Amino acid sequence: KAGVTQTPRYLIKTRGQQVTLSCSPISGHRSVSWYQQTPGQGLQFLFEYFSETQRNKGNFPGRFSGRQFSNSRSEMNVSTLELGDSALYLCASRPRDRGANSYEQYFGPGTRLTVT
Amino acid sequence: DAKTTQPNSMESNEEEPVHLPCNHSTISGTDYIHWYRQLPSQGPEYVIHGLTSNVNNRMASLAIAEDRKSSTLILHRATLRDAAVYYCILYNFNKFYFGSGTKLNVKP
């Protein structure tokens, strides 16, 4: 099986612009989660999508949004970019067909976003 | 939010066992303890998880304290490829809370 893929791998944007990142989960995985990783804050949970619905959300402003399509692919959007949004954005997928408290996530390589 | 505390860094010699500690004093009864590791320039990868009993798999062992307020990830024979940041995570209501992790350096 192919792993989780994320596009693009690298992106440079200017303050005030918006950006859309894409994630393709492992075939058969219906849940997609997004994380932000920065040197200062570490790995922080953004949100999770399952069956095209947002199931969980972390503590991020409304500028961060996402969606999931019927084929489980997911996109994440950040509007009005700020310098502090520069980070590695990671996507993770899982089957979500096990017990809710026992799951193994598969991470993609991430998209490195630089805001100038 | 559930929190975990780990040492910032640890060092080990190749071929020797490594014990990576994690404190999670605010753990609730339904929280699972997960461990992931992140190799340089890669996304995190799953290592092991458990609830109350000690767990073993081909990668590592997980020892969980009786009161569940701490746990230890055990790599039985460290290799150079095990050099990574190891995260101890509590899984709570479908959210993963990553701590700051322990950077493991393996010396040849």
Side-chain angles (χ1 to χ4, degrees):
Chain A
K1 272 185 180 178
V4 176
T5 58
Q6 293 186 244
T7 56
R9 292 293 311 277
Y10 302 90
L11 205 50
I12 299 175
K13 289 286 189 179
T14 305
R15 268 183 304 176
Q17 288 185 315
Q18 76 166 14
V19 66
T20 298
L21 312 181
S22 181
C23 171
S24 292
I26 290 173
S27 177
H29 287 192
R30 298 168 61 195
S31 164
V32 173
S33 297
W34 288 89
Y35 294 83
Q36 181 196 65
Q37 185 171 31
T38 60
Q41 299 295 319
L43 265 160
Q44 294 184 285
F45 172 78
L46 279 156
F47 29 65
E48 179 192 15
Y49 285 86
F50 175 71
S51 293
E52 302 178 62
T53 302
Q54 188 180 89
R55 300 292 175 162
N56 295 287
K57 191 176 190 304
N59 297 322
F60 279 82
R63 300 185 298 106
F64 292 82
S65 63
R67 60 177 175 168
Q68 186 180 35
F69 303 94
S70 58
N71 62 358
S72 295
R73 191 177 68 86
S74 177
E75 287 182 347
M76 191 193 95
N77 184 275
V78 187
S79 62
T80 319
L81 283 166
E82 301 176 0
L83 294 179
D85 296 333
S86 294
L88 180 67
Y89 290 88
L90 291 157
C91 161
S93 76
R94 63 181 173 117
R96 221 180 193 262
D97 57 4
R98 307 176 189 176
N101 282 329
S102 173
Y103 83 66
E104 179 180 334
Q105 295 189 99
Y106 296 83
F107 282 81
T111 293
R112 173 74 63 185
L113 172 65
T114 301
V115 182
T116 61
Chain B
D1 292 352
K3 301 285 187 202
T4 61
T5 305
Q6 300 175 252
N8 288 334
S9 63
M10 291 184 65
E11 200 164 73
S12 169
N13 294 318
E14 198 175 11
E15 303 288 316
E16 291 185 356
V18 182
H19 290 234
L20 299 166
C22 180
N23 287 318
H24 28 77
S25 58
T26 60
I27 191 170
S28 71
T30 55
D31 287 339
Y32 274 72
I33 302 159
H34 290 247
W35 284 80
Y36 279 71
R37 71 180 186 181
Q38 188 171 22
L39 280 65
S41 302
Q42 294 186 25
E45 66 173 345
Y46 169 83
V47 177
I48 200 167
H49 77 274
L51 181 62
T52 56
S53 304
N54 295 344
V55 184
N56 300 295
N57 66 20
R58 61 175 180 81
M59 286 183 72
S61 295
L62 176 60
I64 301 173
E66 198 169 329
D67 63 4
R68 301 208 326 126
K69 292 185 185 299
S70 65
S71 61
T72 303
L73 178 71
I74 303 165
L75 307 179
H76 296 287
R77 290 179 65 214
T79 69
L80 296 179
R81 288 184 294 181
D82 292 322
V85 178
Y86 287 78
Y87 294 98
C88 168
I89 302 150
L90 297 186
Y91 173 45
N92 183 2
F93 297 110
N94 287 315
K95 294 181 185 180
F96 271 69
Y97 298 98
F98 282 80
S100 54
T102 296
K103 184 173 183 179
L104 176 65
N105 181 36
V106 180
K107 296 186 296 182

